[in-house]
Structures are given as C-alpha cells and as structure tokens.
Amino acid sequence: MLSSFHKINAWLRWTMFLPVLCLLLLPFPAAADQPAPKEGILALNAALLDAMKRADQLGYAGRYALLEPVVRDTFDLAFMGMKATGKYWEGLSKEQRAQYLTTYTEWSIANYAGNFNGYSGEKFELVSESTPEQGIVTVVSKLIQQNDVPYTFQYLLRSV
C-alpha cells in the first residue's frame, strides 16, 4: 500500500499535465496595507498540514470542510477554470460557465481533501518570494518528508 505522501506525489505528477497548473495564477492584493502574497501560501500550507495531521479524525468530508475556505481564498478558481477551458470558454453559455466553475471548484477542493489524507512527519517550508514583475509574484514552498526529501511548489500570484 502506498503511503499518503506517495499518493500525494503521484497526484502531483498527474496534475502537472493539467493546463491549469501551467498557468497557476493566484490573486494577491495590490494595496499596501494587505498581507504579502506569501501569507496566502502560508495559510494554505498550514491548512494542508492540519488536514494531514488530523486526516483520520476528520475523514474526507472533514478535510474538505477544513480546506474549502482556504482553497477558495487562496486560488482564483474562476480565472483558473476559465483558462483551463482555453478557446472553448467563449462557446459556453452563461449557465454552462457557472456549472463548469462550480464543478471545477468542487473538483479542486476534492483533490486536496482526497490527497492530503495522512501524516508521517512532513513539514512545509517557505523558500522564497520574488519581487513583483509585471504584476506577478512567485512564491516557492517545499513539502519536506520525514526522510528530508523535498517536493517543491512554485505558485504564481497575480495582483488583483
């Protein structure tokens, strides 16, 4: 049986082929009094770690409920969903777009709830945050396994 982290690794490799992850643009506030872009990633990392640590106690539905507000706040799911459909977005009716975005959002949250489903000593580490360039900031985070094997996440955040 695969450990929960190996399941996460397999899931991450599979999702790398999704166009949305090639264009992972998360919103960050442009106002000076708003938190830095890395704060959203730190909140996501904390929620994922909490879901992993309490995976058995929460079950899938509990992990979904825990992660839903954080994923909705961190990711610009409407923008990502629109970009994932590519040229087909223009051909969808208003109702089809709404249904698609609802499904896309639920699917995104479900993937996190389903794949971050156990804990065996992993920890997150914030590696870097770039200076804004053309309204885009890159935040690099690592998920480090107990055996010190890191998995790197690069988030592109855009000013909203």
Side-chain angles (χ1 to χ4, degrees):
M1 182 172 187
L2 289 176
S3 72
S4 62
F5 194 77
H6 286 101
K7 290 178 187 176
I8 293 168
N9 185 34
W11 173 73
L12 290 172
R13 275 189 266 143
W14 176 80
T15 58
M16 285 178 18
F17 296 103
L18 294 175
V20 67
L21 291 181
C22 294
L23 188 62
L24 183 60
L25 296 175
L26 311 171
F28 75 88
D33 62 335
Q34 297 295 320
K38 70 179 178 183
E39 298 304 320
I41 301 306
L42 289 171
L44 176 64
N45 289 351
L48 291 171
L49 194 59
D50 187 23
M52 291 166 68
K53 287 180 176 179
R54 299 190 301 142
D56 292 336
Q57 172 194 355
L58 294 171
Y60 170 80
R63 291 190 310 273
Y64 189 102
L66 173 71
L67 296 172
E68 180 178 16
V70 179
V71 170
R72 286 181 185 272
D73 288 346
T74 303
F75 296 97
D76 188 348
L77 294 165
F79 178 80
M80 292 167 59
M82 180 184 73
K83 290 300 182 183
T85 61
K87 66 180 182 181
Y88 301 104
W89 181 257
E90 294 303 318
L92 298 177
S93 69
K94 185 177 181 179
E95 294 78 19
Q96 288 172 320
R97 288 178 181 180
Q99 168 126 27
Y100 170 78
L101 290 176
T102 297
T103 302
Y104 180 84
T105 297
E106 291 170 354
W107 173 82
S108 297
I109 299 164
N111 270 297
Y112 281 104
N115 287 294
F116 286 83
N117 61 357
Y119 180 73
S120 55
E122 297 87 2
K123 64 181 178 178
F124 282 95
E125 178 182 299
L126 190 69
V127 176
S128 66
E129 176 183 18
S130 71
T131 56
E133 190 170 311
Q134 298 180 2
I136 304 291
V137 171
T138 302
V139 177
V140 179
S141 179
K142 287 186 180 181
L143 178 61
I144 302 170
Q145 296 184 81
Q146 192 173 15
N147 62 2
D148 291 330
V149 175
Y151 290 87
T152 302
F153 299 86
Q154 292 189 6
Y155 299 97
L156 301 178
L157 295 94
R158 65 185 174 93
S159 178
V160 291

